Structure formats: C-alpha cells, structure tokens
Amino acid sequence: MTLQAIEDFISKQKTAFIGSMDAEGFPNIKAMFAPRRIEAGGIYYFSTNKSSLRTGQYLENPKASVYFYQRGRFKYTGIMLVGTMEVLEDHDSKASIWQPGDTMYYPAGIDDPDYCVLKFTAVRGRYYQSLTKGDFTF
Amino acid sequence: MTLQAIEDFISKQKTAFIGSMDAEGFPNIKAMFAPRRIEAGGIYYFSTNKSSLRTGQYLENPKASVYFYQRGRFKYTGIMLVGTMEVLEDHDSKASIWQPGDTMYYPAGIDDPDYCVLKFTAVRGRYYQSLTKGDFTF
C-alpha cells in the first residue's frame, strides 16, 4: 500500500482502536469513534472524557497506537500506527473539534472540564492487506 | 453485562484484536481471526506463525490483551480482556486447534516449525456497552 492509499483507507473508517499502557504494564485496547480531525503527517484528534480511564493512562504514559481495520468479503486491511498521545485541554484545541451534538454529553459546552482532546502523533506504522504487509514512517 | 453475556458475545465474534508490547515499549494492536478454541475461565487459543512479529513480542513480554468489538445500528459492545499470552509449540497443543485447511499455509502440517499456538489466559476484563461499563475478573 502507498502512503496515499493508507491515508485514504483511514479517512473512510468509522471506528478506530486505540492502544495504551495500563498501570501494571499491560497493553490496553479500546474502540473509539473515528478521529474528528486528521492532519497531514499522521496527526489524529479524538474527543473523550477527561475522567476516562484512557485519558488517565495517556497522562501517565503517552506511548500509544491507533489501529484501523476492515474485513471485506475477499480481503481484509489492518493498519497500525504507533506514536504518542497528548491530552489537550486548552480552549482552542477543544473548540477545533467540537460538534453541536456534544452538548448532550458535555452540558457546559466547549469549556466543560470533563471534555478534552486526545492528539495522536504517529511516528511509524505497519499495514497488513490480505497476504501482503509493509512498514512505513511519517 | 453478566459474565455469561460476555462469554456469549465473545463466542459469536469473527475477529479478535490482540494487544502486545513492542521492543520500544509501545502498545501494539493486530486483528486476528476469532480464537480457534475457548476454555472456561478466560482461556483462548489462536493459531499464528512462529516467525510473526507478534509471536516474537509475546516471547519477550507475555503481557497481553484481547479485545472484541461490535458496532450495531443502535448500540456498540466492546470487551477487553487483560492477561498473558504463551507461545506453545508442542505437538498436542498444535494438534488441538489444527484445521485441515491450514495445510495451505503450513505445508508440513501440524508439526510445521512455523505453525504455533498463542494461548491467552485472561485475569481481568472490562466491558463497554453503549453508555454502561463495568469490570470483571476470572
């Protein structure tokens, strides 16, 4: 897969799986809604709760992965990105990915203290597509 | 969710996402076909290549997770199991999950040196189902 094909694939996914490290050193996995915003160079923004388990894990250890997967009738594609996850709480970052429907979860709006942004910056990745695979970097 | 509901959900999934630790301390994720065999008490058997990246990671660090996820029209369910992954290479373990079609990938059959078994033993788990969540142990 070319880097362009990888980015195209990722931009169509509705679910992302995020990897984190827990306090006992176990790798954790959680499904998230697709990134709210994607920037060139492997940068992905997710919205989440400040009080969530994952947010706490990333504050302790920013090492992270983000995985995208689709299984079709004749082939499957899996793309893993490895990098770091930052927890952003400033107004501008929060405003940049805010959606009107978020008020349902965060009644105080953009500045709701439980609303925050996870910013993932990939450094490298690996893809699997049916029987082919390859590594790439950002 | 009760432990029974969790086990029923897992037994219906066609894909499992496995978490591992890479040499640089990053959590890794990869999709796998559903476990070949499930034993009571949170034990799951997968087939894989001895030469694969994940097998090498588990030999270095057995800390692992296995994640199951389904997103329906009105709800989603995500179940994470945390535990350890062993790499088994003895004949009996390999024979116990061997399927006839495997010959396509492992021409030498059950004792093909590149065919091995990943045995995951869960110690605890966490589920998310729409807006509810909970922890459980084995």
Side-chain angles (χ1 to χ4, degrees):
Chain A
M1 292 177 86
T2 63
L3 200 53
Q4 185 63 51
I6 287 166
E7 288 176 347
D8 288 349
F9 175 84
I10 289 174
S11 70
K12 287 181 200 141
Q13 302 309 304
K14 291 183 181 168
T15 303
F17 298 90
I18 61 170
S20 57
M21 293 286 302
D22 73 19
E24 287 84 35
F26 287 92
N28 281 203
I29 303 174
K30 186 173 190 290
M32 300 283 282
F33 290 115
R36 287 273 173 102
R37 189 155 65 96
I38 298 179
E39 279 175 9
I43 299 174
Y44 300 80
Y45 295 87
F46 300 89
S47 73
T48 195
N49 291 354
K50 178 74 200 303
S51 60
S52 73
L53 194 64
R54 286 329 178 276
T55 303
Q57 290 177 348
Y58 291 127
L59 288 170
E60 286 291 316
N61 185 340
K63 287 182 175 174
S65 53
V66 177
Y67 186 76
F68 299 93
Y69 179 74
Q70 194 167 52
R71 186 166 169 178
R73 200 160 158 198
F74 300 108
K75 72 173 179 181
Y76 64 83
T77 303
I79 293 170
M80 178 180 67
L81 306 175
V82 167
T84 53
M85 194 77 87
E86 293 167 74
V87 178
L88 306 180
E89 296 185 77
D90 62 288
H91 177 85
D92 289 354
S93 297
K94 290 165 68 163
S96 76
I97 63 163
W98 178 261
Q99 291 174 357
D102 291 341
T103 313
M104 198 165 97
Y105 306 102
Y106 307 109
I110 292 169
D111 294 312
D112 190 307
D114 198 34
Y115 165 60
C116 71
V117 175
L118 294 180
K119 178 186 180 183
F120 176 73
T121 304
V123 292
R124 57 183 166 85
R126 186 173 175 88
Y127 72 85
Y128 290 84
Q129 190 166 57
S130 298
L131 293 178
T132 69
K133 61 190 171 197
D135 296 301
F136 54 93
T137 53
F138 285 92
Chain B
M1 293 178 85
T2 62
L3 201 53
Q4 185 62 50
I6 288 166
E7 288 174 347
D8 287 349
F9 175 84
I10 289 174
S11 69
K12 286 181 200 142
Q13 302 309 304
K14 291 181 181 168
T15 302
F17 299 90
I18 61 171
S20 57
M21 291 287 302
D22 73 19
E24 288 84 36
F26 288 92
N28 280 204
I29 303 174
K30 185 173 190 291
M32 301 283 282
F33 290 115
R36 287 273 173 102
R37 190 155 63 96
I38 299 179
E39 279 176 9
I43 298 174
Y44 300 81
Y45 295 87
F46 301 90
S47 73
T48 195
N49 290 354
K50 178 73 200 304
S51 60
S52 73
L53 194 65
R54 285 332 179 273
T55 302
Q57 290 177 347
Y58 290 127
L59 287 170
E60 286 292 316
N61 185 340
K63 286 181 176 175
S65 53
V66 178
Y67 187 76
F68 299 93
Y69 180 74
Q70 194 168 53
R71 185 166 169 178
R73 200 161 158 199
F74 298 111
K75 72 173 178 181
Y76 64 84
T77 303
I79 294 170
M80 178 181 68
L81 306 175
V82 166
T84 54
M85 194 76 88
E86 293 168 74
V87 178
L88 305 179
E89 296 185 77
D90 61 289
H91 176 85
D92 289 354
S93 298
K94 290 165 69 163
S96 76
I97 63 162
W98 178 262
Q99 292 175 356
D102 290 341
T103 313
M104 198 165 99
Y105 306 101
Y106 307 108
I110 291 169
D111 296 311
D112 191 305
D114 197 34
Y115 165 58
C116 71
V117 174
L118 294 180
K119 178 186 179 183
F120 176 73
T121 304
V123 292
R124 58 183 165 84
R126 186 174 176 87
Y127 72 85
Y128 290 84
Q129 190 166 56
S130 298
L131 293 177
T132 68
K133 61 190 170 196
D135 296 302
F136 55 93
T137 52
F138 285 93

